[in-house]
Amino acid sequence: MNITKEQIDDLNAVVKVAVSKEDYQDKVEKILKDYRKQANIPGFRKGQVPMGLIKKQYGKAVLVDEVNKLLQDNLNKYLTEEKLDVLGNPLPKQQDDFDWDKDSLDFEFELGLAPSFDVNLKTKKAVTHYKIVADKKMIKEQVERIQKQYGKLISKTEVGKSDEITGLFANEAEEIDHKATIEMDKIKSKKAIDALVGKKVGDTVTLSTKGLFKEDYLLSSALGIAQDKAEGLKVDVTFTIEEINEREPAVLDQELFDKLFGEGKVTSEQEMKDKIKEDSEKQFEQQSDQKLLNDITEKLIDETKFELPSEFLKKWIQISGENPLTEDEAKEEFEKSEQGLRYQLIEGKIIQENELQVQFDELKDFAKGFIKSQMAQYGHMDPKEEELESVAARVMSNQDEVKRLSEQLMSQKLLDLYKEKANLKVKEVPYDDFIKEAYS
């Protein structure tokens, strides 16, 4: 077998493969002999079918199959040995009226080659790295929420503007019949507030679902219906009051501090506020980091210029899927995926040049850290090392989980690299301003 490469340009090449009869003949003969031993053809005893008949019936199919296997194995080996960085897979060039009976079979494959380019992490324009801070307003609101959550319920005879009301929502046509507790200070509709204030247990009021709550998601839980049904729902519902309570805020004392943070870890209101600030800002880091990663990705794609073998990739997309696409469909699919492909190449270059690797031990530690944070969400704050090891072993035995965690760890390594080497400007903002500025 002889393989040669013809360079068309920097991004395209053609590989020519000449397969001689000696490359496949022995293998084809052996398979046909095995067929002969097993063949059941009327008029002949098993194993006694003439070889000429076996070749006539199966020879061409076996030849084609074996040559294709040879092509695939040797082409992959050639690409590896020649260190050719290809995009997609080699595409066989169409040859009309191909003669499989010739002693020498010649094939050609089109290659799309990865471009050569440089990546500069010091982008022309600095990327904003947001440091989200918990301001006094946020901390105050969080303290009030805690006091309300841990406060004492006091039964009342009539509804006030800051009370909690338990009652039954109903609308026969919409099949709504659901008991729920609502908070007056989360109601948006002035008409609904006026209808409820002053009412007593046993009273029934009619409320419009349109704009009922300050937060749209509250409607689905109040009515006991799916979120997609609640969206845009504009009907009247009856609400029959069963219970009215006022929530007396919890006192900020040592008992509450211990309940929230553990015994003796917080001993004053100021320490509580400091802890809330610290915990909140730690939670914000993940959101800030994701924003930074997205922004640097966009900036690198924008500023790292290189050409792609576009026509080759469109052809490859057209025929490589489960169902072949039209030229227009392939062009549209390429345009959708082009930015992602560009970043894959850029990211691969960054990983290679900075020798970023995911080692097994650090992946295992990363998995244990992830498991520990998951356990903490369910109140298991201090798992034993043996427990973490056991769960991590199960996770690491799942290849899909290993792939997912490896990608997350590599993203973290890239993020750390960007923080160290990219052109960044740090900007401190309160959370509300971050949302407005970053996602407006």
Side-chain angles (χ1 to χ4, degrees):
M1 182 178 293
N2 185 39
I3 304 179
T4 57
K5 177 171 72 76
E6 178 187 342
Q7 194 76 28
I8 307 300
D9 55 38
D10 289 342
L11 299 173
N12 296 276
V14 172
V15 169
K16 298 180 179 181
V17 185
V19 181
S20 66
K21 197 169 186 178
E22 290 76 19
D23 293 323
Y24 59 80
Q25 189 172 27
D26 289 347
K27 183 74 172 175
V28 170
E29 290 290 340
K30 181 180 183 305
I31 292 171
L32 291 176
K33 285 177 182 177
D34 290 341
Y35 275 28
R36 185 180 182 225
K37 291 175 186 176
Q38 302 299 325
N40 284 311
I41 295 178
F44 299 96
R45 284 184 297 166
K46 187 176 180 180
Q48 299 299 314
V49 180
M51 181 55 83
L53 187 57
I54 293 292
K55 286 183 177 180
K56 185 177 179 181
Q57 192 162 346
Y58 302 109
K60 184 62 66 66
V62 171
L63 169 64
V64 171
D65 188 45
E66 286 307 308
V67 169
N68 280 328
K69 286 178 185 176
L70 272 173
L71 285 171
Q72 184 175 344
D73 292 345
N74 285 278
L75 195 54
N76 288 338
K77 185 180 176 184
Y78 174 80
L79 296 177
T80 302
E81 288 175 349
E82 295 296 315
K83 297 179 180 177
L84 293 177
D85 193 1
V86 298
L87 301 179
N89 293 314
L91 291 180
K93 292 187 78 171
Q94 185 67 37
Q95 299 182 63
D96 297 327
D97 301 322
F98 188 81
D99 186 0
W100 287 93
D101 295 323
K102 290 169 62 178
D103 285 348
S104 179
L105 304 173
D106 298 320
F107 302 89
E108 293 186 356
F109 295 86
E110 295 179 63
L111 301 183
L113 304 176
S116 176
F117 59 92
D118 294 317
V119 181
N120 186 2
L121 294 180
K122 295 289 185 185
T123 52
K124 296 172 188 174
K125 189 176 179 183
V127 178
T128 302
H129 181 197
Y130 291 97
K131 178 174 171 54
I132 308 170
V133 296
D135 58 7
K136 290 181 179 179
K137 177 175 175 286
M138 172 178 278
I139 295 168
K140 180 174 178 291
E141 288 173 351
Q142 181 69 357
V143 169
E144 288 172 352
R145 274 198 294 271
I146 289 171
Q147 285 185 282
K148 189 172 184 180
Q149 180 183 347
Y150 289 90
K152 184 169 64 175
L153 285 177
I154 300 172
S155 180
K156 292 184 64 179
T157 57
E158 62 180 51
V159 178
K161 286 190 175 181
S162 60
D163 294 338
E164 296 179 10
I165 319 164
T166 299
L168 186 69
F169 283 99
N171 178 301
E172 189 174 348
E174 297 292 336
E175 298 181 337
I176 295 169
D177 184 22
H178 187 252
K179 184 176 179 177
T181 297
I182 59 174
E183 299 174 37
M184 286 293 292
D185 56 10
K186 290 185 179 177
I187 294 177
K188 178 181 178 181
S189 167
K190 186 176 183 304
K191 191 174 179 181
I193 293 170
D194 291 342
L196 286 164
V197 170
K199 293 298 184 291
K200 299 179 179 179
V201 172
D203 288 346
T204 298
V205 295
T206 299
L207 306 173
S208 172
T209 59
K210 183 183 177 183
L212 181 57
F213 294 103
K214 293 176 182 176
E215 301 290 344
D216 292 338
Y217 74 90
L218 292 171
L219 186 62
S220 64
S221 59
L223 302 184
I225 58 175
Q227 185 64 41
D228 57 351
K229 182 179 178 180
E231 289 175 5
L233 185 66
K234 299 176 184 177
V235 297
D236 287 340
V237 291
T238 59
F239 182 64
T240 303
I241 299 170
E242 297 180 357
E243 190 178 334
I244 306 165
N245 290 298
E246 178 184 11
R247 191 173 286 272
E248 185 180 90
V251 178
L252 298 177
D253 58 14
Q254 194 59 48
E255 183 182 352
L256 180 61
F257 300 152
D258 290 347
K259 190 181 293 183
L260 291 170
F261 306 107
E263 191 172 346
K265 291 185 178 179
V266 168
T267 58
S268 68
E269 183 177 339
Q270 186 56 51
E271 285 184 14
M272 175 187 180
K273 290 178 179 178
D274 292 343
K275 189 74 170 69
I276 289 171
K277 179 179 174 66
E278 179 189 338
D279 291 347
S280 297
E281 291 177 357
K282 193 171 182 180
Q283 289 176 14
F284 296 150
E285 276 181 23
Q286 186 176 355
Q287 203 165 345
S288 171
D289 283 350
Q290 188 59 57
K291 173 66 177 165
L292 178 63
L293 198 58
N294 293 344
D295 288 349
I296 290 180
T297 298
E298 287 183 16
K299 187 64 70 178
L300 289 173
I301 291 172
D302 184 54
E303 294 192 8
T304 307
K305 304 296 184 184
F306 53 82
E307 295 297 320
L308 290 170
S310 304
E311 293 309 311
F312 169 84
L313 289 169
K314 288 172 195 172
K315 259 197 274 189
W316 177 69
I317 289 170
Q318 187 176 356
I319 67 171
S320 63
E322 197 171 314
N323 299 309
L325 304 177
T326 65
E327 282 189 26
D328 288 342
E329 288 171 337
K331 181 182 176 184
E332 184 181 348
E333 196 61 35
F334 171 72
E335 288 169 354
K336 283 182 192 173
S337 59
E338 183 180 0
Q339 294 294 80
L341 174 58
R342 286 183 178 278
Y343 186 66
Q344 277 184 348
L345 292 170
I346 292 169
E347 186 183 84
K349 184 93 168 176
I350 294 169
I351 290 170
Q352 181 186 29
E353 289 182 348
N354 292 277
E355 299 179 345
L356 301 181
Q357 296 179 349
V358 172
Q359 304 290 348
F360 178 81
D361 286 344
E362 62 182 350
L363 182 61
K364 186 178 176 183
D365 288 341
F366 184 74
K368 284 159 70 174
F370 178 77
I371 293 161
K372 194 171 181 180
S373 67
Q374 292 289 100
M375 288 181 167
Q377 290 181 20
Y378 294 96
H380 194 2
M381 305 303 292
D382 192 24
K384 293 181 179 178
E385 182 62 23
E386 311 89 79
E387 190 176 1
L388 289 173
E389 283 283 346
S390 174
V391 179
R394 288 202 301 273
V395 170
M396 298 290 281
S397 67
N398 184 316
Q399 289 304 309
D400 290 337
E401 282 297 305
V402 169
K403 183 174 181 292
R404 184 179 66 82
L405 288 168
S406 296
E407 289 170 353
Q408 287 182 358
L409 181 53
M410 182 55 75
S411 288
Q412 185 59 54
K413 285 175 175 282
L414 284 166
L415 187 63
D416 292 341
L417 178 72
Y418 296 155
K419 287 179 180 179
E420 178 188 348
K421 295 188 175 182
N423 183 13
L424 306 179
K425 60 176 181 182
V426 178
K427 184 173 184 179
E428 288 194 2
V429 289
Y431 184 76
D432 288 344
D433 289 353
F434 168 75
I435 296 299
K436 288 175 189 174
E437 190 171 323
Y439 299 108
S440 59

